[in-house]
Amino acid sequence: MWLIVGLGNPGEQYEWTRHNAGFMVVDELARRAGQTLRVKECQAFTARVVIANQSALLVKPQTFMNLSGVAVSQLQTKYEQGEAERVFVVTDDFVLPFGKLRIRPEGSAGGHNGLKSLIAKLNTPKFPRLRLGIAPEHPLKNAADFVLAEFSRAEREPLKEMVERAADAVEAVLAEGVAHAMNRFN
């Protein structure tokens, strides 16, 4: 079974923030499967789905971004899913240009606290991830304020398109593997 983990922060006040791009993609995958993430387990909302003939658990940790690894490691234990290579993480990236997608089979946290938590709790950086570009068109004064701010009205339609493409990319990873998906979406 795959764990498809969207990173974000719980609560209505964060729903449309840039840091919740991962949650948005997982919600889109659930919508496509006719599900909602309503089961509360291991400090996360989850939904069991089938994507590209693969069993998957969609996951939205409710531990806040900086402790995302706590919920994911608990789910790994609960479901006896010890393979980090089958934990696929979807997250924002404020260095990538807005709308750009980047799939990687593994990597560093790149300064992202959610990824730092996952790497620490999974004891490895060797899990695939999809980063969604949210970079501003101007230099940042405060990265935390930027990622916790809501997407502007002008960004909403391009955001919707990025989320749909990102959901397509997740489906491609499960159907074709990371390397093929990288060729198609990076």
Side-chain angles (χ1 to χ4, degrees):
M1 175 172 67
W2 283 87
L3 298 182
I4 309 297
V5 181
L7 297 187
N9 287 311
E12 287 183 26
Q13 71 270 31
Y14 297 108
E15 187 174 1
W16 288 101
T17 63
R18 291 176 177 90
H19 230 9
N20 273 28
F23 274 12
M24 294 172 194
V25 174
V26 168
D27 285 336
E28 172 62 14
L29 290 165
R31 185 197 66 73
R32 291 178 181 190
Q35 298 286 331
T36 57
L37 285 95
R38 64 179 143 212
V39 175
K40 179 82 169 179
E41 59 182 328
C42 300
Q43 301 182 71
F45 284 119
T46 65
R48 286 178 160 265
V49 298
V50 174
I51 299 173
N53 296 318
Q54 302 268 344
S55 175
L57 186 71
L58 300 176
V59 179
K60 288 171 49 175
Q62 299 297 292
T63 53
F64 287 91
M65 181 67 75
N66 295 357
L67 298 173
S68 298
V70 173
V72 175
S73 65
Q74 289 175 6
L75 287 165
Q76 269 194 308
T77 300
K78 179 178 180 175
Y79 288 99
E80 298 177 355
Q81 195 278 355
E83 303 172 56
E85 299 84 19
R86 292 183 68 84
V87 175
F88 189 56
V89 177
V90 183
T91 189
D92 62 282
D93 186 329
F94 72 84
V95 176
L96 279 179
F98 182 80
K100 180 130 176 100
L101 303 180
R102 176 146 311 137
I103 300 169
R104 292 286 185 253
E106 62 183 64
S108 71
H112 193 288
N113 289 331
L115 290 173
K116 283 181 190 176
S117 175
L118 283 161
I119 290 168
K121 289 296 185 180
L122 300 179
N123 294 313
T124 182
K126 295 183 178 186
F127 53 86
R129 75 269 321 259
L130 169 61
R131 293 182 180 221
L132 288 76
I134 61 164
E137 294 180 0
H138 51 78
L140 287 177
K141 291 182 181 174
N142 185 316
D145 287 346
F146 176 76
V147 298
L148 293 175
E150 289 192 0
F151 286 101
S152 69
R153 289 196 188 278
E155 291 172 320
R156 294 285 171 102
E157 189 57 36
L159 169 65
K160 181 177 183 276
E161 293 169 10
M162 177 174 60
V163 166
E164 289 171 355
R165 274 193 357 267
D168 293 343
V170 173
E171 291 172 348
V173 166
L174 271 62
E176 306 164 10
V178 173
H180 288 291
M182 287 172 62
N183 288 334
R184 283 183 54 200
F185 292 93
N186 284 1

